[in-house]
Amino acid sequence: EEYEQYLTDLGKGLDIHAITIKDCLVPFMLPKVEKIGDWTGLILRYVKAGEMDFMNLQGGIQDVSHKLVMLISHDKLISIRRVQSYTDFPQVAQLVQTWDQSQNQDEVIHRFMYDIMSGFRTSLQKL
């Protein structure tokens, strides 16, 4: 409840649409990209290598993956996640370090999504 109030207050203070904040709070939210007003919200789900047993998928999506939310405006980048560091998601670390060097938020999002898709390709080639 405290976390929900914190995100609600953050959203109001930064003029982030209430729907975007609500999506951040839903634990089982599937991946999506949505632009509302000046903010683009990226909701991603990821699994760290070696962490999941693909043969025993009993629970829901929140039980077998981690949720990562990125909120991007023309001059701000907010990441919402349970882990404190980006060591399990190097694309996020790179985005955080370089996002302010981009021409606009669309470039940031396209580059980030490209990096993620490249990671999938690399992982698939190892199989």
PDB file of all heavy atoms in Angstrom, residues 53-68:
ATOM      1  N   ASP A  53      13.283 -23.521 -14.616  1.00  0.00           N
ATOM      2  CA  ASP A  53      13.132 -24.883 -15.118  1.00  0.00           C
ATOM      3  C   ASP A  53      11.961 -24.881 -16.103  1.00  0.00           C
ATOM      4  O   ASP A  53      10.804 -24.836 -15.692  1.00  0.00           O
ATOM      5  CB  ASP A  53      12.872 -25.836 -13.954  1.00  0.00           C
ATOM      6  CG  ASP A  53      12.702 -27.275 -14.397  1.00  0.00           C
ATOM      7  OD1 ASP A  53      12.766 -27.549 -15.622  1.00  0.00           O
ATOM      8  OD2 ASP A  53      12.510 -28.138 -13.522  1.00  0.00           O
ATOM      9  N   PHE A  54      12.263 -24.900 -17.400  1.00  0.00           N
ATOM     10  CA  PHE A  54      11.221 -24.816 -18.422  1.00  0.00           C
ATOM     11  C   PHE A  54      10.294 -26.028 -18.420  1.00  0.00           C
ATOM     12  O   PHE A  54       9.220 -25.982 -18.985  1.00  0.00           O
ATOM     13  CB  PHE A  54      11.853 -24.659 -19.820  1.00  0.00           C
ATOM     14  CG  PHE A  54      12.423 -23.300 -20.041  1.00  0.00           C
ATOM     15  CD1 PHE A  54      13.770 -23.059 -19.849  1.00  0.00           C
ATOM     16  CD2 PHE A  54      11.611 -22.256 -20.431  1.00  0.00           C
ATOM     17  CE1 PHE A  54      14.293 -21.801 -20.055  1.00  0.00           C
ATOM     18  CE2 PHE A  54      12.119 -20.993 -20.635  1.00  0.00           C
ATOM     19  CZ  PHE A  54      13.461 -20.763 -20.439  1.00  0.00           C
ATOM     20  N   MET A  55      10.691 -27.097 -17.769  1.00  0.00           N
ATOM     21  CA  MET A  55       9.866 -28.308 -17.755  1.00  0.00           C
ATOM     22  C   MET A  55       8.814 -28.269 -16.642  1.00  0.00           C
ATOM     23  O   MET A  55       7.880 -29.045 -16.651  1.00  0.00           O
ATOM     24  CB  MET A  55      10.741 -29.553 -17.582  1.00  0.00           C
ATOM     25  CG  MET A  55      11.800 -29.710 -18.674  1.00  0.00           C
ATOM     26  SD  MET A  55      11.135 -29.657 -20.349  1.00  0.00           S
ATOM     27  CE  MET A  55      10.243 -31.195 -20.375  1.00  0.00           C
ATOM     28  N   ASN A  56       8.956 -27.371 -15.704  1.00  0.00           N
ATOM     29  CA  ASN A  56       8.037 -27.330 -14.560  1.00  0.00           C
ATOM     30  C   ASN A  56       7.410 -25.947 -14.389  1.00  0.00           C
ATOM     31  O   ASN A  56       7.536 -25.328 -13.346  1.00  0.00           O
ATOM     32  CB  ASN A  56       8.776 -27.724 -13.268  1.00  0.00           C
ATOM     33  CG  ASN A  56       9.233 -29.157 -13.298  1.00  0.00           C
ATOM     34  OD1 ASN A  56       8.430 -30.046 -13.575  1.00  0.00           O
ATOM     35  ND2 ASN A  56      10.506 -29.378 -13.046  1.00  0.00           N
ATOM     36  N   LEU A  57       6.737 -25.495 -15.404  1.00  0.00           N
ATOM     37  CA  LEU A  57       6.090 -24.189 -15.349  1.00  0.00           C
ATOM     38  C   LEU A  57       4.708 -24.331 -14.723  1.00  0.00           C
ATOM     39  O   LEU A  57       3.708 -24.475 -15.404  1.00  0.00           O
ATOM     40  CB  LEU A  57       5.975 -23.581 -16.755  1.00  0.00           C
ATOM     41  CG  LEU A  57       7.290 -23.301 -17.458  1.00  0.00           C
ATOM     42  CD1 LEU A  57       7.054 -22.719 -18.841  1.00  0.00           C
ATOM     43  CD2 LEU A  57       8.136 -22.354 -16.642  1.00  0.00           C
ATOM     44  N   GLN A  58       4.638 -24.298 -13.416  1.00  0.00           N
ATOM     45  CA  GLN A  58       3.381 -24.487 -12.687  1.00  0.00           C
ATOM     46  C   GLN A  58       2.662 -23.156 -12.436  1.00  0.00           C
ATOM     47  O   GLN A  58       1.457 -23.087 -12.497  1.00  0.00           O
ATOM     48  CB  GLN A  58       3.660 -25.157 -11.338  1.00  0.00           C
ATOM     49  CG  GLN A  58       4.401 -26.467 -11.440  1.00  0.00           C
ATOM     50  CD  GLN A  58       3.491 -27.619 -11.804  1.00  0.00           C
ATOM     51  OE1 GLN A  58       2.341 -27.618 -11.437  1.00  0.00           O
ATOM     52  NE2 GLN A  58       4.009 -28.577 -12.540  1.00  0.00           N
ATOM     53  N   GLY A  59       3.403 -22.136 -12.093  1.00  0.00           N
ATOM     54  CA  GLY A  59       2.798 -20.871 -11.680  1.00  0.00           C
ATOM     55  C   GLY A  59       2.498 -19.951 -12.849  1.00  0.00           C
ATOM     56  O   GLY A  59       2.667 -20.288 -14.012  1.00  0.00           O
ATOM     57  N   GLY A  60       2.035 -18.768 -12.499  1.00  0.00           N
ATOM     58  CA  GLY A  60       1.755 -17.750 -13.496  1.00  0.00           C
ATOM     59  C   GLY A  60       3.024 -17.055 -13.951  1.00  0.00           C
ATOM     60  O   GLY A  60       4.129 -17.363 -13.494  1.00  0.00           O
ATOM     61  N   ILE A  61       2.858 -16.099 -14.831  1.00  0.00           N
ATOM     62  CA  ILE A  61       3.992 -15.382 -15.424  1.00  0.00           C
ATOM     63  C   ILE A  61       4.848 -14.722 -14.343  1.00  0.00           C
ATOM     64  O   ILE A  61       6.065 -14.679 -14.444  1.00  0.00           O
ATOM     65  CB  ILE A  61       3.515 -14.368 -16.487  1.00  0.00           C
ATOM     66  CG1 ILE A  61       4.685 -13.766 -17.249  1.00  0.00           C
ATOM     67  CG2 ILE A  61       2.686 -13.257 -15.857  1.00  0.00           C
ATOM     68  CD1 ILE A  61       5.332 -14.698 -18.210  1.00  0.00           C
ATOM     69  N   GLN A  62       4.226 -14.219 -13.277  1.00  0.00           N
ATOM     70  CA  GLN A  62       5.001 -13.561 -12.224  1.00  0.00           C
ATOM     71  C   GLN A  62       5.857 -14.535 -11.433  1.00  0.00           C
ATOM     72  O   GLN A  62       6.815 -14.143 -10.781  1.00  0.00           O
ATOM     73  CB  GLN A  62       4.100 -12.743 -11.286  1.00  0.00           C
ATOM     74  CG  GLN A  62       3.220 -13.556 -10.384  1.00  0.00           C
ATOM     75  CD  GLN A  62       1.888 -13.943 -11.002  1.00  0.00           C
ATOM     76  OE1 GLN A  62       1.702 -13.874 -12.200  1.00  0.00           O
ATOM     77  NE2 GLN A  62       0.964 -14.366 -10.164  1.00  0.00           N
ATOM     78  N   ASP A  63       5.524 -15.839 -11.503  1.00  0.00           N
ATOM     79  CA  ASP A  63       6.306 -16.840 -10.780  1.00  0.00           C
ATOM     80  C   ASP A  63       7.539 -17.300 -11.547  1.00  0.00           C
ATOM     81  O   ASP A  63       8.440 -17.887 -10.963  1.00  0.00           O
ATOM     82  CB  ASP A  63       5.444 -18.063 -10.451  1.00  0.00           C
ATOM     83  CG  ASP A  63       4.340 -17.736  -9.467  1.00  0.00           C
ATOM     84  OD1 ASP A  63       4.504 -16.775  -8.689  1.00  0.00           O
ATOM     85  OD2 ASP A  63       3.311 -18.427  -9.490  1.00  0.00           O
ATOM     86  N   VAL A  64       7.565 -17.081 -12.838  1.00  0.00           N
ATOM     87  CA  VAL A  64       8.665 -17.602 -13.649  1.00  0.00           C
ATOM     88  C   VAL A  64       9.489 -16.505 -14.326  1.00  0.00           C
ATOM     89  O   VAL A  64      10.372 -16.801 -15.113  1.00  0.00           O
ATOM     90  CB  VAL A  64       8.150 -18.599 -14.724  1.00  0.00           C
ATOM     91  CG1 VAL A  64       7.545 -19.820 -14.056  1.00  0.00           C
ATOM     92  CG2 VAL A  64       7.168 -17.935 -15.663  1.00  0.00           C
ATOM     93  N   SER A  65       9.186 -15.244 -14.027  1.00  0.00           N
ATOM     94  CA  SER A  65       9.940 -14.166 -14.656  1.00  0.00           C
ATOM     95  C   SER A  65       9.984 -12.955 -13.727  1.00  0.00           C
ATOM     96  O   SER A  65       9.253 -12.870 -12.754  1.00  0.00           O
ATOM     97  CB  SER A  65       9.305 -13.777 -15.997  1.00  0.00           C
ATOM     98  OG  SER A  65       8.015 -13.230 -15.801  1.00  0.00           O
ATOM     99  N   HIS A  66      10.853 -12.032 -14.073  1.00  0.00           N
ATOM    100  CA  HIS A  66      10.979 -10.777 -13.341  1.00  0.00           C
ATOM    101  C   HIS A  66      10.347  -9.680 -14.186  1.00  0.00           C
ATOM    102  O   HIS A  66      10.456  -9.680 -15.405  1.00  0.00           O
ATOM    103  CB  HIS A  66      12.449 -10.426 -13.105  1.00  0.00           C
ATOM    104  CG  HIS A  66      13.178 -11.456 -12.313  1.00  0.00           C
ATOM    105  ND1 HIS A  66      13.083 -11.547 -10.946  1.00  0.00           N
ATOM    106  CD2 HIS A  66      13.991 -12.460 -12.710  1.00  0.00           C
ATOM    107  CE1 HIS A  66      13.830 -12.550 -10.532  1.00  0.00           C
ATOM    108  NE2 HIS A  66      14.392 -13.128 -11.584  1.00  0.00           N
ATOM    109  N   LYS A  67       9.736  -8.722 -13.526  1.00  0.00           N
ATOM    110  CA  LYS A  67       9.112  -7.595 -14.227  1.00  0.00           C
ATOM    111  C   LYS A  67      10.042  -6.394 -14.134  1.00  0.00           C
ATOM    112  O   LYS A  67      10.625  -6.120 -13.088  1.00  0.00           O
ATOM    113  CB  LYS A  67       7.772  -7.274 -13.577  1.00  0.00           C
ATOM    114  CG  LYS A  67       7.040  -6.110 -14.203  1.00  0.00           C
ATOM    115  CD  LYS A  67       5.704  -5.943 -13.492  1.00  0.00           C
ATOM    116  CE  LYS A  67       5.087  -4.613 -13.812  1.00  0.00           C
ATOM    117  NZ  LYS A  67       3.887  -4.399 -12.996  1.00  0.00           N
ATOM    118  N   LEU A  68      10.167  -5.707 -15.243  1.00  0.00           N
ATOM    119  CA  LEU A  68      10.960  -4.487 -15.311  1.00  0.00           C
ATOM    120  C   LEU A  68      10.119  -3.433 -16.009  1.00  0.00           C
ATOM    121  O   LEU A  68       9.572  -3.696 -17.077  1.00  0.00           O
ATOM    122  CB  LEU A  68      12.253  -4.718 -16.092  1.00  0.00           C
ATOM    123  CG  LEU A  68      13.063  -3.477 -16.451  1.00  0.00           C
ATOM    124  CD1 LEU A  68      13.673  -2.856 -15.204  1.00  0.00           C
ATOM    125  CD2 LEU A  68      14.129  -3.811 -17.459  1.00  0.00           C
TER     126      LEU A  68
END
